[in-house]
Amino acid sequence: MAIGPRNDSPSWSWVGQSLADFLAGEFDVRIFDTVTALPDADLILVVKQRPPASFIEAALERAATCFFAPVDVYQDPAEIAADAIFLKHCRTVFLHAETLRPFLQPFAGRILSVEHQGRYTLGAPAAYRETGFLLWIGAIQHLPYQLAWLERHPPKWPVRLLTDIGSAPGRLQAHILARSLGVHFVMAPGAINGFETEAWSEAVQSQWMRACKAAFDIKGSSFNQTTKPPTKAQKFLASGIPFGCDPAHPARHYFAPRGFEIVDAADARLYSEDYWRQVREISGPLRRETTMERVGAQFRAGLLSGLAA
């Protein structure tokens, strides 16, 4: 089995490499690094990259058994339509975001929902905190959405931002997005727009998640933003951390059918002990659903059933 293409993105280590490690006990797993050529394998799983025409043509010619996990690669419905031949050829398309399903259904023969591994879930649920700060964690190119929201909704608590401040491409995208949103984007030592900011690391993330009062995330209105997996919400809620978001956030589509309503990030209930207790109730089941063992078993079942189809 070949899984790839390997790259430096968080999605590769989070989805591709973790899955390859999990399946290595049952499959002869090989990692491929590029989609410029079709891997020589019985099964091929493409993770978060749209294969070019040459890859698709080779797959059709060889009748290769292909699977696809797009994660959040698609920027608009036109890209999905352009991949119609590949999507139809895939035995299974693994879906991380239900908001993407209606756009894939006209083209994909078989779609299977899978969870995102809770890789950064805290080891034990966070305790309720009387004081603390409001935390945002994410890629810097998405930070202007948060800054625009913070301008409209100045929070009661201090705000901390944890992001990849060292990414030059990300900073450039952030400046461009900030200008389009009409918000300032001012970087200073240890701060962005006056909010305490630190470079992301797993250690600081764990420390700040344990210390925060609550966490939030705001999405934009683009197709890519509205079809994001609920990973960020899962990370905080599984960790027992009160989490708030905007009304159109795609995570709401994941949690509503599970009987949990994420509060609006501007709602004072975000900081209440009552909401923290609701979060604690869902954190246990969510932690179990997002273990690597559970996620890996979902992929394994999808691969085997796809082979039998």
Side-chain angles (χ1 to χ4, degrees):
M1 177 180 183
I3 302 179
R6 175 165 45 196
N7 54 66
D8 295 330
S9 72
S11 290
W12 167 252
S13 60
W14 207 331
V15 179
Q17 188 63 59
S18 296
L19 185 60
D21 294 341
F22 179 85
L23 296 174
E26 186 169 353
F27 295 86
D28 177 11
V29 178
R30 303 173 186 179
I31 304 298
F32 64 96
D33 295 309
T34 177
V35 288
T36 56
L38 189 71
D40 183 15
D42 299 316
L43 286 74
I44 301 169
L45 172 61
V46 180
V47 177
K48 198 182 172 175
Q49 191 163 138
R50 299 172 58 212
S54 59
F55 183 102
I56 299 169
E57 289 168 4
L60 293 172
E61 182 179 346
R62 208 177 80 192
T65 303
C66 294
F67 299 83
F68 186 35
V71 192
D72 58 355
V73 70
Y74 287 115
Q75 302 301 309
D76 56 53
E79 289 187 345
I80 297 175
D83 287 347
I85 295 174
F86 177 64
L87 291 168
K88 183 177 181 181
H89 176 71
C90 288
R91 293 290 183 92
T92 303
V93 174
F94 293 102
L95 185 69
H96 285 91
E98 281 298 320
T99 49
L100 192 58
R101 182 184 290 272
F103 301 95
L104 291 170
Q105 279 180 325
F107 309 106
R110 187 169 183 270
I111 301 173
L112 178 66
S113 292
V114 290
E115 293 289 356
H116 222 304
Q117 177 202 0
R119 182 174 180 177
Y120 296 118
T121 301
L122 292 177
Y128 175 72
R129 300 185 66 87
E130 292 286 350
T131 60
F133 53 89
L134 182 61
L135 175 62
W136 181 79
I137 302 174
I140 196 167
Q141 62 263 33
H142 305 309
L143 182 53
Y145 293 123
Q146 324 310 313
L147 299 176
W149 182 87
L150 288 166
E151 283 191 6
R152 298 191 303 270
H153 306 280
K156 173 183 177 181
W157 302 92
V159 175
R160 291 189 188 180
L161 311 172
L162 190 61
T163 187
D164 53 339
I165 54 178
S167 170
R171 293 197 305 271
L172 176 59
Q173 292 179 52
H175 280 288
I176 294 171
L177 178 59
R179 176 169 292 188
S180 72
L181 295 174
V183 296
H184 295 292
F185 188 84
V186 181
M187 297 189 67
I192 296 178
N193 284 23
F195 300 113
E196 182 178 350
T197 305
E198 190 159 333
W200 185 92
S201 72
E202 192 167 347
V204 176
Q205 175 175 254
S206 178
Q207 177 186 348
W208 282 15
M209 284 175 66
R210 289 208 170 279
C212 71
K213 172 73 171 171
F216 78 109
D217 186 55
I218 308 299
K219 296 299 187 197
S221 59
S222 71
F223 179 82
N224 179 261
Q225 286 282 294
T226 57
T227 55
K228 288 276 188 183
T231 319
K232 196 172 297 186
Q234 288 175 320
K235 174 175 66 178
F236 289 119
L237 294 172
S239 297
I241 298 170
F243 173 81
C245 62
D246 56 282
H249 200 287
R252 293 181 180 275
H253 295 272
Y254 174 88
F255 283 98
R258 290 164 172 77
F260 182 78
E261 180 185 358
I262 301 176
V263 301
D264 192 297
D267 193 325
R269 289 182 298 161
L270 174 62
Y271 309 104
S272 70
E273 187 170 1
D274 180 63
Y275 183 58
W276 172 80
R277 293 186 185 282
Q278 294 176 41
V279 169
R280 282 298 295 263
E281 288 180 10
I282 197 175
S283 67
L286 189 56
R287 294 169 76 86
R288 292 189 291 272
E289 290 173 14
T290 54
T291 62
M292 189 63 235
E293 289 72 22
R294 184 71 65 88
V295 174
Q298 290 178 334
F299 271 96
R300 177 186 176 278
L303 292 166
L304 294 178
S305 61
L307 281 173

